[in-house]
Each structure stands twice: as structure tokens, then as C-alpha cells.
Amino acid sequence: MAPRPKWWHTLQASKGEVRLAVDLYNRSGNERQLEAFIVHMNLGWTKLLQARTESDGGELYERDARGWRRKHPEGGYLYKPLRTLLGEQFTVTDPRLSNITFFQGLRNQIEHRHEAKVAALVAGRTQALLINYEQTLVEWFGQEEALGSELRFPLFVSTITEGAAAAVKALRAQIPRGVLDWVQDFDASLEPGLTADQRFDFRIYLVPHKGPKTQADASMTFVREEELTADQRAVLNQVQTIIREKHVPVEDLNGLKAGEVVEQVAARLDATFNMHMHTQAWKFYGVRPPSDSTDRTATKPQFCYYNGTFEQYIYTPAWVEYLVRHLASAEEYAAVRRWRAPTETASAASS
């Protein structure tokens, strides 16, 4: 029998990291399970991407301008980091990329005494990280490499007993403000609709099955919304677990003019917020281009977009929330207020 290719061994190592990640996350207690899960899932994804790259005949090593492999200061050669491999395999709009990138940043935000609370906040994204791995694994290497038959549905009580929703809200209130701000800012930086994608944040609704059991029953069954009975739909709508409202696309729907942004932020901020401060803010955060820009559409679309019909900039409710969170800090408020463009600073210095 011919020896296995090198990439196959890398793939098995990837799957081993993911098994370990799931084992550590599902163990009882509150001993840094989330951080351990993130670390080993990152390793699992890195090795999966390496196996895919190698099986396709791609390049795993970093190279310098001459095309030579770069050496690590402590010996050996430098491999491409996870971010580089992700950029080579996924498009920037792929929800899987956003999900992995989210956890790379979250690891640096975790405060260990609050880790269990943070884990509750990002539980859907944690599940998506694992499901995305499994689906990508099968897509790239076939069903025979799947992990589904090796992983078990965990036994738990915290999120299905009465009062669970109140408990989750209470946990959220105890999460450090800096972590919440980071999560909200990350979400605001994504393209519209990405945060609702199941591949970014996986959400399910559990309904106990109380009817007679058959041989074909599993402990958990996925049912499509269109397959629900009228009674099931009524129950789900009552508890607001499935809502499918279709909005007719209307330009500037929920959009805000600059004056409306000023009015809403000023009402929620302890410090003065006027039109001058709003101008300072969009310049400081780079939300839209300068007034004399040749490309008026070069905005951060989650916060602002240009309406060519009326030749004006329209702002989003997310921009209001972003300003209220960030300008609540006295230091950041002062930095925005005194900010000057590099050209303005140079002119002032020369005069």
C-alpha cells in the first residue's frame, strides 16, 4: 500500500485539534473552556487550510522578495499564518471568514474571570465555528473525513430550563464593557446581512418533542420552516422564535440625515454634541470621504452611504450607536474634538 501523502497527515492533525477543542469546551465547570476552544479551533482551521493548500499544490511557506523561504529566528522556515491562508481560500464576503476572524480578535479581549459570561454571549458563533469547520472539511475532502459521527450532542441545562432568557440577560449585564463594545464594533464593521447569516452566528430554537417515539426518532431533529404545521407555526410565532418579515427595498429606509444623527446622539450623550462635533466624528473615524473627494461613494457602508439622487450623505442607526458608545469615553471625546486633518495641521504649523 502506497504511503499517505503529507497533506493527509496534516488533515488528521487538524481533526484531532477540533476534537480536543470540543472536548475541552463541553467539560463541566468554568475553567477557561472558551479560550481553550478558540486556541484549538484556530489550530484546527490552520491545519485544515494547510492540508487544502498542500493537496492543491500551493505554497505553505512565506517567501521574501527574492522568492526564498523566510527563516524563523529560532530555526526552521516560516509558514503562512492563518490570516494569510484564510485570505487565499475565502472571499472577503464569506461568513466563514468573518466568523473565524471574530474569534481571533475575541481571544485578545477575554478577561478570564468573566469568561463564562462571554461564552454565553457568543454561544451561537461558537457553534457556527464548529459547523463551518465540519461543512468545509466535507466540501474539500469528502464525507469519509467527516467528524459528525464522532461528536456527541452535549447534555446541558442552563439554556433550556425556565428563566433561561432572564439568566442570559443577567450574564450580559456582567460582561466587561470593553468586551461588549468590541463585539458591537466588530458586528458594525461587517457588511449588512452578514451578522444574520447562520455561518457567522448559528441560532436554533428547541421545542420539546412530546409525542410517541418511533424507531426513526433522533434526540434532535432539524425541521425546515416551510415544513411546520399550522399549530407549530402558531407556537413559534407566539414566542417570537421565527419571524420572517419581508421589507420592500426602499432607498434610505431607516436612513438619517446629519441633523437627525446630531439630535439623537445629543439626547443620549452627557457631553455637547453638535454639527461641528459630528463633522469631527466622521472625519476622525473615516466614515465618509471629504467634501471635495472625487469618489463620494467611498464610505463605510455600515455607517454611511451616498445618495446620488439628492446628492447628500445618509447615515445609519448603527452610526448613532457607535457614536454614543465611543464618545461616552471622555478621552475619546476629547480626541475627536481636537482632531485635525494632516493637511490642516501642516498649514497651521507653517503659519
Side-chain angles (χ1 to χ4, degrees), residues 245-250 253-254:
E245 295 183 15
K246 182 175 180 180
H247 295 282
V248 178
V250 178
L253 180 67
N254 297 323

Side-chain angles (χ1 to χ4, degrees), residues 18-51:
V18 172
R19 291 189 200 94
L20 179 58
V22 175
D23 287 343
L24 293 173
Y25 187 83
N26 286 336
R27 67 184 179 183
S28 300
N30 294 315
E31 299 176 1
R32 302 173 68 170
Q33 283 100 326
L34 179 60
E35 183 183 26
F37 177 83
I38 295 173
V39 169
H40 290 285
M41 283 302 300
N42 275 349
L43 289 171
W45 272 107
T46 300
K47 293 180 183 298
L48 177 65
L49 291 161
Q50 288 175 341

Side-chain angles (χ1 to χ4, degrees), residues 1 25 83 233 240 287 292 309 339:
M1 181 177 179
Y25 187 83
R83 284 183 180 273
R233 285 178 181 273
Q240 297 181 343
V287 166
D292 58 356
T309 303
W339 185 86

Side-chain angles (χ1 to χ4, degrees), residues 81-197:
L82 177 57
R83 284 183 180 273
T84 300
L85 294 170
L86 287 169
E88 292 175 350
Q89 296 289 350
F90 299 128
T91 64
V92 294
T93 57
D94 194 314
R96 292 174 294 180
L97 175 62
S98 298
N99 179 260
I100 298 169
T101 304
F102 172 82
F103 282 102
Q104 286 183 296
L106 180 65
R107 184 187 173 192
N108 298 326
Q109 299 292 327
I110 292 176
E111 296 185 26
H112 296 302
R113 63 195 179 94
H114 296 287
E115 184 174 344
K117 304 176 183 68
V118 176
L121 176 69
V122 301
R125 304 182 191 198
T126 304
Q127 186 66 62
L129 186 64
L130 177 61
I131 292 177
N132 291 343
Y133 175 90
E134 170 75 350
Q135 292 177 342
T136 305
L137 173 68
V138 172
E139 175 189 341
W140 288 351
F141 296 101
Q143 188 63 45
E144 63 274 12
E145 295 291 350
L147 285 174
S149 62
E150 303 178 44
L151 303 179
R152 306 290 182 269
F153 185 64
L155 300 177
F156 56 93
V157 295
S158 62
T159 56
I160 59 173
T161 52
E162 290 188 17
V168 171
K169 289 182 179 180
L171 283 174
R172 184 184 179 92
Q174 299 171 33
I175 295 173
R177 186 67 190 177
V179 176
L180 277 177
D181 285 347
W182 182 86
V183 172
Q184 291 168 333
D185 290 347
F186 184 94
D187 289 356
S189 70
L190 299 176
E191 291 293 325
L194 246 181
T195 54
D197 195 296

